[in-house]
Amino acid sequence: CVCVCVAGGFSLNMAEATRQWKEKERFTKGIKYDIVGVDKDPLAIEQCKQNAATNGLEKYARFVEADVFEFLKQCPRAAYDLVICDPPNLTRHGPGVAESLSDRHTEADEWMQEEGMSHSYTQMSTAQRDQKILAVVRVFLDLMADSVALVKPGGLILACSCSHLMSGSGQFVNLLRLAANKTGRKISVLSVRGPAADHVTDPAHNETEYFVSVLACVH
């Protein structure tokens, strides 16, 4: 399960791997596979379907036009072996993101306060930036908690962020841990990665260090 799928990069790579394994008859008889990409943008879903058709992968992946929060809450728990949580950059649209998101995701406040996360994030900059950071933290916490809940015991979650306000804080792994705790699950971190070698950063502008991904096993 991929949330959010955008052009289908993650979904189609998994679909291609599934096709290769099926062609080599490496699947145990009776094993089912369901690769699904979710995005609320109809243009993104259409692009995914076109990309799947171009690569001959239509029967290996499906794409759902839906609000990712609603989709995750409606899915049965522990349904997937791998969930990829890769939301867009929610912080680049300015301070208005706080007003648009905070009303919907207020229950995360208690978790941040209990773990002292509000303090660590709000020390980063001005009050206005703090407000935006906290709003985005609420969204990420809710999204990752719902994503963790979908993973089978022993399965994997890949949590990604392309926001400097998230990755630059050094708290992204801790946020995934809190998300797991919120659902009553535990995680073991397998790897923490940044951008590929072809994505250079400028030491004079730490905002260029905005990619981070965490691969973890969910128990």
Side-chain angles (χ1 to χ4, degrees):
C1 180
V2 180
C3 309
V4 177
C5 61
V6 192
F10 280 125
S11 305
L12 295 180
N13 273 281
M14 287 191 291
E16 174 59 25
T18 300
R19 176 171 66 178
Q20 292 181 15
W21 275 65
K22 187 174 182 180
E23 289 176 349
K24 295 177 181 179
E25 297 183 346
R26 290 182 177 176
F27 279 112
T28 303
K29 187 176 181 180
I31 290 291
K32 297 181 180 179
Y33 59 87
D34 178 27
I35 300 170
V36 54
V38 185
D39 201 300
K40 70 176 183 179
D41 185 348
L43 295 179
I45 293 298
E46 182 59 31
Q47 184 64 64
C48 287
K49 292 179 178 179
Q50 291 179 9
N51 292 341
T54 299
N55 291 277
L57 299 171
E58 307 98 310
K59 65 180 181 179
Y60 296 98
R62 61 189 179 94
F63 299 95
V64 178
E65 180 185 337
D67 180 286
V68 66
F69 292 97
E70 298 301 323
F71 177 86
L72 291 174
K73 290 186 183 302
Q74 292 173 8
C75 281
R77 306 297 86 177
Y80 291 94
D81 295 296
L82 169 64
V83 174
I84 298 176
C85 180
D86 185 25
N89 186 348
L90 300 171
T91 64
R92 65 184 176 186
H93 303 294
V97 71
E99 288 75 14
S100 64
L101 297 174
S102 59
D103 289 344
R104 183 175 180 181
H105 305 287
T106 55
E107 72 266 20
D109 290 346
E110 295 180 3
W111 287 89
M112 291 189 294
Q113 290 172 3
E114 289 176 7
E115 298 292 335
M117 288 189 66
S118 295
H119 176 75
S120 60
Y121 273 98
T122 53
Q123 292 301 305
M124 289 176 63
S125 189
T126 64
Q128 184 183 59
R129 195 181 191 196
D130 293 344
Q131 183 185 31
K132 181 166 65 171
I133 293 168
L134 289 174
V136 174
V137 169
R138 296 182 190 112
V139 176
F140 267 83
L141 183 57
D142 287 348
L143 182 58
M144 290 201 293
D146 288 339
S147 298
V148 167
L150 261 62
V151 182
K152 296 177 181 179
L156 301 174
I157 182 167
L158 177 64
C160 308
S161 172
C162 59
S163 165
H164 171 70
L165 296 183
M166 296 298 299
S167 57
S169 69
Q171 289 285 339
F172 193 66
V173 173
N174 193 39
L175 189 63
L176 180 57
R177 178 184 67 83
L178 292 177
N181 288 347
K182 187 178 179 183
T183 61
R185 309 287 294 275
K186 300 294 183 182
I187 61 169
S188 298
V189 175
L190 303 178
S191 69
V192 180
R193 304 195 177 204
D198 62 349
H199 189 286
V200 297
T201 59
D202 184 343
H205 300 281
N206 60 4
E207 290 83 358
T208 58
E209 299 182 29
Y210 57 88
F211 281 126
V212 64
S213 65
V214 179
L215 179 66
C217 179
V218 180
H219 307 292

